[in-house]
Amino acid sequence: MALNRAVVAAFLVAACSSNDVTTPPTDAGGEVDECKPGSRVTPYVRDKAAEATFPAGFLFGAASAGMQIEKGLTHADWYQWANVPGKVAAGDKPDNGPDAFAHIEDDVNALKAAGANAYRFSIEWSRIYPTRASFDSNTPDKAGLDAYHALLTALKAAGIRPMVTLHHFATPDYLDDITKPREPQTFERDEMAPMFGEWCKRMGKEFGAEVDDWITINEPLVLLVGAYLVGAHPPGPPLDIDRMFNAAKKLVKAHVAGYRALHEADTVDAGTGRAVAVSIAKHNRIFVPLDHCEERDVEAAKKTDYVWNQWMYNALVFGDWDDDLDGKLDGPNDKKADPALKGTVDYIGVNYYGVSTVDATLQLKFIGGVPAYDHLPTDLPKTDMSWDIYPHGLRQVLNQLKPYKLPVYITENGTGDSKDVNKSRYLAEHLWEVSGAIRDGVDVRGYYYWSLTDNFEWDRGFCPRFGLFQIDYASPAKTRKPTRAAALFKQIAEQKKITAATIDGLPAYAAPTPCPGPR
Ligand code: NOJ
């Protein structure tokens, strides 16, 4: 299939910013994959099971990322970016967030109160190596190392298994100079892959006795679409699709360098029965044709699904390198089962937030020369991010991962809900679908709710409240207060099941409180 880059670009932008779905669900809340004109949107319908269960040893975790919860990451590109007027809604600054380093005990107590047995967080490169000189001379910041060790010690004492991300959107400013967006930055730089490998090696050595579960890079395609197509992430405009794909290919090399470095450096079993398991946290979603009877829409949805959901994991699991992203391995630079790539993830990490409608006859608008997506209205309930809520898509996304034959962790799933009215239902319905996927034969080993606490939601600032625990940003102590969903999370984690009656007893989705973007 020939890849129309402009069309794919449009859908990638859509994948980052919208959650529209137009598929009528079956009885099981499933997608009808056939030509059936008429109803464009039908909300999720749960299957008829009486309960959803989870196997012994299943991880019920929560997730976070340093830039979103720590104070004082002054050498990160995002810190500089947030200081540029107009880049973050309401001019919010990460330093006014949950201040996690000052609240290690509170956060571990929160995890315990929610019954969590796992916690995903990031170790921030720019905290450990704030300057290029400190990186080149391998002079890590001692206070930074101590803080992460303190967190890991507290987690261990609480019996909570850590999963550590080594790049979660933020890059040290010496590798992303936002004043020079026309020059190669972040993963476009040739030096990035070897430096990232070195960074991973050092962290594997430093923390390997405390950590077995690693993620090299969080949401690689969201990061690059945000930076090079939408411009919502640094280094921002000029926006350019070729630049984005170029960065994506180099990012794969950086991941591979990180994967090998962690395997070399972390040789100690921290308590999981093996020394190391490495992957990425890949944002996957469902792409639904606007019109199942319209061949162009169906084809466009397939192409987008391929580029967004399959291209990267095909390379990392099978070693199938599709350099021209056309879905075939027949290009001059394509490779089948390339040993340099094959087997460079030990499990599948997947973040799930929803579905996108694919319309091959998009009414395009243009952002800096790149076609963007006109949102299509749907009747689905919405989050405060204005994303459609579609729990069954998680089961579909998980089923799509079967060919990889690897264990799967849902490394993120959650909703912004400032009034704490929808979070419980959102959580329960998504976990219901996870259990369904396990019944379908997907080897799902854990689920990390996004997020443990409210945090800095990138260009939307502090408005979206994803936390199982709400932060009182106005209080000097940045008080953590449990949401209703935290209690439900605990109940499900302890009982390893949810009943249909529990979900039926939850309030129906209420209208969201939408959070505006910066512009
Ligand atoms: C995925 C990202 O990894 C995380 O940083 C973000 O806060 C959530 N999505 C919610 O948008």
Side-chain angles (χ1 to χ4, degrees), residues 68 168-169 218-219 351 353 387 412 450 457-458 466:
Q68 298 180 264
H168 194 123
F169 290 177
N218 178 69
E219 293 200 342
N351 294 359
Y353 288 95
W387 297 341
E412 283 184 35
W450 183 271
E457 178 55 29
W458 309 111
F466 280 88

Side-chain angles (χ1 to χ4, degrees), residues 91-153:
D92 285 342
K93 305 279 188 294
D95 268 1
N96 299 326
D99 194 5
F101 276 3
H103 296 276
I104 290 177
E105 202 185 327
D106 292 339
D107 285 344
V108 174
N109 283 340
L111 285 159
K112 285 201 271 186
N117 58 5
Y119 182 45
R120 175 184 169 215
F121 65 96
S122 74
I123 293 181
E124 285 301 307
W125 190 345
S126 71
R127 180 173 299 283
I128 304 300
Y129 296 107
T131 61
R132 180 73 193 233
S134 65
F135 186 83
D136 288 348
S137 62
N138 193 6
T139 314
D141 180 80
K142 185 158 176 334
L145 292 178
D146 288 350
Y148 292 120
H149 280 300
L151 171 59
L152 285 162
T153 303

